[in-house]
């Protein structure tokens, strides 16, 4: 993984659209500007700063006030796509279906979209990147109440499709970013907002799966709504973004570990992707292990999932790294939900899965990426868009050292090579590649510590400075060639 690959060897197809990605709470700031309501992240980062590196995102990159220059920045990098998210509480401050909309918030996104379109940059819009309106959380627990959440999300989705969609405006939508992370990190581990699972009288044995259930059904509702009321005039499509590691067996000679690696991906990705893309029930392995902890789909839900499944336009894949999976042989803990699998970065022979980035969990393992692309393609047969991929480097606070981000450039190079091989050698259909992230931003519970940007942000002056990886991507995609997939 130490070398720079010449672009000729990458063989990136001409129709592999490249883009840059962000999320509202991580970059916007403007936390209380122009009538924006609070999301669970505004609350969490202030009430429990110790859980977010002592930092909040009231200002973040101040994108809300610097949006025009950020659009010019994206254009200067030659990116063809900009994936961003809408802050639900900015457009409906209290979030609910009967609550007033905030025209100033709507105008911000409308202006952003107009500027992107004028610059020839395709907007790809995520409706929910973890920032549930606080008022909905206070009213009924947000995604903990499936029926209420579905009704409010449908109304919010309709508002966005209506105001921002169109044949020459937004044509590609993502409902939810990484429902796994919302379910497990926000409602089981409690390392992301709202973190209420750490309070008394919460049931962490069932709530994460109830949250996942709500997100899945709210997604399917939105897909059907878009297909019926917006697709005929606007074209375009809607789907979901799912993250997931690839898992290698801890000991490849142990059939239990081989089975564990496969099962770990089913519990991570199949949990959502089976109902979304196959229109089926949760994976049988999950039903068998989780029993009554996993909610049931009603007959009506099953019908909705079945009808929505073929309407998903693409599989949005966020991918960063690979891990080893080990089948533990000691009895599982009473609250275990993984089918007793341990995740590691080192295998039974002591070999690391790959060099570590600035985050210990994120290791450079491009072969796992290629295998994951194959795994997803074989199981779901939907064109894949890489909606996030990237890494943080060591020593990026100071702009003087940050711009020379050789580690990131190599990471991106070998991960692009993995995509190229999956396309050309494994016949996987991949239609887009969006790097995480356009610029350094608020990395949730890690605050402003890890920097994922291809553009450095000085969080005192808010000055943006492209790093070498930004030019690497610009030049690589400018000179791409090869057959269309
Ligand atoms: C994604 N994991 O989160 C998010 O979509 C981004 O908002 C975030 O900034 C980015 O990745 C970098 O972390 C993830 O543990 C969080 O596998 C955790 C994992 C994966 C993605």
């Amino acid at each position: 993984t130490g070398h720079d690959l010449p672009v000729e060897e990458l063989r990136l197809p001409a129709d592999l659209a490249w883009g840059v990605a962000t999320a509202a709470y991580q970059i916007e700031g403007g936390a209380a500007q122009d009538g924006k309501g609070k999301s669970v992240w505004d609350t969490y980062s202030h009430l429990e700063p110790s859980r977010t590196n002592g930092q909040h995102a009231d200002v973040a990159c101040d994108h809300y006030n610097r949006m025009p220059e950020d659009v010019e920045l994206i254009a200067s990098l030659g990116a063809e796509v900009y994936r961003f998210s809408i802050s639900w509480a900015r457009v409906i401050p209290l979030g609910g279906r009967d609550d007033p909309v905030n025209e100033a918030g709507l105008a911000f996104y409308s202006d952003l979209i107009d500027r992107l379109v004028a610059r020839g940059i395709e907007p790809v819009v995520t409706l929910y990147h973890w920032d549930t309106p606080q008022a909905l959380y206070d009213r009924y627990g947000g995604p903990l109440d499936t029926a209420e959440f579905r009704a409010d999300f449908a109304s919010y989705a309709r508002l966005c499709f209506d105001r921002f969609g169109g044949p020459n405006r937004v044509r590609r939508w993502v409902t939810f970013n990484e429902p796994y992370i919302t379910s497990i990190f926000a409602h089981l581990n409690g390392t992301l907002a709202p973190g209420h699972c750490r309070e008394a009288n919460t049931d962490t044995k069932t709530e994460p799966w109830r949250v996942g259930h709500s997100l899945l059904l709210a997604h399917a509702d939105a897909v059907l709504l878009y297909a019926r009321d917006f697709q005929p005039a606007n074209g375009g499509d809607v789907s979901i973004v799912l993250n997931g590691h690839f898992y290698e067996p801890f000991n490849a000679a142990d059939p239990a570990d081989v089975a564990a690696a496969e099962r770990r991906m089913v519990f991570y990705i199949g949990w959502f992707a089976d109902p979304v893309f196959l229109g089926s029930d949760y994976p049988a392995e999950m039903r068998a292990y989780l029993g009554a902890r996993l909610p049931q789909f009603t007959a009506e839900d099953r019908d909705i999932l079945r009808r929505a499944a073929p309407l998903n336009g693409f599989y949005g894949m966020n991918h960063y790294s690979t891990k080893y999976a080990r089948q533990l042989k000691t009895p599982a803990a009473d609250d275990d939900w993984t089918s007793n699998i341990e995740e590691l970065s080192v295998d039974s022979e002591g070999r690391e899965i790959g060099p570590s980035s600035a985050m210990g969990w994120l290791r450079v393992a491009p072969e796992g990426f290629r295998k994951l692309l194959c795994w997803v393609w074989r199981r779901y047969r939907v064109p894949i868009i890489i909606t996030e991929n990237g890494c943080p480097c060591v020593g990026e606070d100071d702009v003087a050292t940050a711009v020379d981000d050789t580690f990131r450039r190599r990471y991106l190079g070998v991960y692009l090579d993995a995509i190229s091989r999956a396309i050309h050698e494994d016949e996987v259909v991949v239609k887009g590649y969006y790097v995480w992230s356009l610029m350094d931003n608020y990395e949730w519970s890690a605050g402003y510590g890890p920097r994922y940007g291809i553009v450095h942000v000085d969080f005192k002056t808010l000055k943006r400075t492209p790093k070498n990886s930004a030019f690497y991507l610009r030049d690589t995609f400018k000179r791409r060639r090869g057959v269309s997939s």
Side-chain angles (χ1 to χ4, degrees), residues 26 129-130 177-178 245 268 320 388 436 443-444 452:
Q26 295 182 271
H129 201 120
W130 306 354
N177 180 72
E178 303 184 344
H245 307 297
Y268 205 126
Y320 292 89
E388 287 181 24
W436 185 269
E443 179 53 26
W444 309 109
Y452 283 78

Side-chain angles (χ1 to χ4, degrees), residues 102-141:
N102 177 27
E103 289 299 336
L106 288 162
F108 168 74
Y109 296 109
S110 198
D111 186 18
L112 166 59
I113 292 159
D114 288 344
R115 287 170 189 272
L116 291 169
V117 170
R119 282 310 222 143
I121 301 160
E122 183 195 352
V124 171
V125 178
T126 308
L127 295 174
Y128 179 100
H129 201 120
W130 306 354
D131 46 356
T132 311
Q134 181 65 37
L136 300 187
Y137 181 69
D138 294 341
R139 277 177 204 163
Y140 54 75

